Amino acid sequence: NAGVTQTPKFRILKIGQSMTLQCTQDMNHNYMYWYRQDPGMGLKLIYYSVGAGITDKGEVPNGYNVSRSTTEDFPLRLELAAPSQTSVYFCASSLDSDRYQPQHFGDGTRLSIL
Amino acid sequence: GDSVTQMEGPVTLSEEAFLTINCTYTATGYPSLFWYVQYPGEGLQLLLKATKADDKGSNKGFEATYRKETTSFHLEKGSVQVSDSAVYFCALWVNNNDMRFGAGTRLTVKP
């Protein structure tokens, strides 16, 4: 009953450090997404993937990179952490991307850049 | 551009009170509309959805009707419980890979 699993749950980084947020799903979903959630704001799409080997930018991709080597995994990488990247990050997946398919979310990673 | 505007919170109600959380949208196409709920420390979960005008989504006593004439998708529940305390997000699916979320409304229900 795992669904979408994100690790770590919390992390504190120093400015300029790098890290990878992990996301894996066991539902054999084709589509995967990364969002950030800032206080008092809705979720904003960072990157998405329509299948293994295919990724594309969302609304706020600057400062991030992604890869999708398998159907299950969709890691998000921060190369040079900046205070503006302090946020809660959510990974999500869906079987398809049409008007009928909801997205399934992980529990989030709370990231602070100091 | 396409967007969702939802009622600002926080909202505090007593148990068994009636709940309405307003959501209006702007879209150039024919969107699907969703309500997601986020319990403390968890990710978002789908609460209900409606894929065309006049559809009513319902789940766990919550309802929302897709009203094209008023571009609205207000969330309602007749009698809230303490366990309904959470953050509620209205969301708009416009086309492939484009889901827009509202800012969220925090609901606290007191016994």
Side-chain angles (χ1 to χ4, degrees):
Chain A
N1 197 26
V4 178
T5 302
Q6 292 183 236
T7 56
K9 292 191 182 301
F10 305 94
R11 184 74 183 267
I12 298 174
L13 284 183
K14 294 182 179 178
I15 295 171
Q17 286 185 320
S18 62
M19 79 163 292
T20 299
L21 282 64
Q22 301 293 343
C23 175
T24 187
Q25 52 94 5
D26 62 359
M27 297 174 283
N28 204 31
H29 283 175
N30 296 314
Y31 288 73
M32 295 188 75
Y33 313 84
W34 274 106
Y35 293 92
R36 58 178 289 171
Q37 182 185 25
D38 297 324
M41 307 284 287
L43 279 68
K44 294 194 174 180
L45 184 65
I46 304 171
Y47 271 95
Y48 66 93
S49 169
V50 304
I54 307 170
T55 63
D56 207 347
K57 296 177 181 179
E59 188 180 358
V60 290
N62 291 345
Y64 306 94
N65 281 300
V66 293
S67 60
R68 183 103 181 265
S69 57
T70 66
T71 299
E72 294 78 21
D73 300 309
F74 190 42
L76 176 72
R77 183 153 180 88
L78 285 69
E79 291 292 350
L80 288 171
S84 61
Q85 294 177 306
T86 293
S87 190
V88 180
Y89 291 85
F90 288 101
C91 180
S93 71
S94 63
L95 181 61
D96 205 336
S97 181
D98 62 36
R99 62 193 306 110
Y100 305 103
Q101 294 292 333
Q103 294 182 9
H104 300 258
F105 286 80
D107 288 345
T109 295
R110 185 175 297 276
L111 180 63
S112 295
I113 316 292
L114 303 176
Chain B
D2 299 328
S3 65
V4 169
T5 302
Q6 65 180 100
M7 173 179 170
E8 288 191 21
V11 174
T12 302
L13 295 173
S14 297
E15 207 164 23
E16 299 184 2
F18 185 86
L19 169 71
T20 300
I21 300 177
N22 290 340
C23 172
T24 57
Y25 68 89
T26 302
T28 52
Y30 300 94
S32 288
L33 297 167
F34 300 81
W35 276 101
Y36 283 85
V37 58
Q38 183 181 27
Y39 298 104
E42 298 182 9
L44 280 71
Q45 303 173 24
L46 177 68
L47 181 59
L48 53 85
K49 67 180 182 184
T51 58
K52 62 182 188 299
D54 300 325
D55 268 3
K56 177 186 280 189
S58 62
N59 186 26
K60 299 181 181 180
F62 291 89
E63 292 184 341
T65 301
Y66 187 157
R67 304 246 185 242
K68 191 175 178 183
E69 63 277 12
T70 55
T71 62
S72 65
F73 192 55
H74 304 322
L75 182 68
E76 296 182 336
K77 186 175 185 183
S79 176
V80 293
Q81 305 300 312
V82 172
S83 58
D84 294 327
S85 298
V87 181
Y88 293 82
F89 291 90
C90 186
L92 173 79
W93 181 94
V94 179
N95 55 39
N96 287 351
N97 312 309
D98 194 354
M99 181 86 84
R100 302 294 173 100
F101 289 83
T105 301
R106 182 176 300 277
L107 170 67
T108 301
V109 180
K110 296 189 173 181

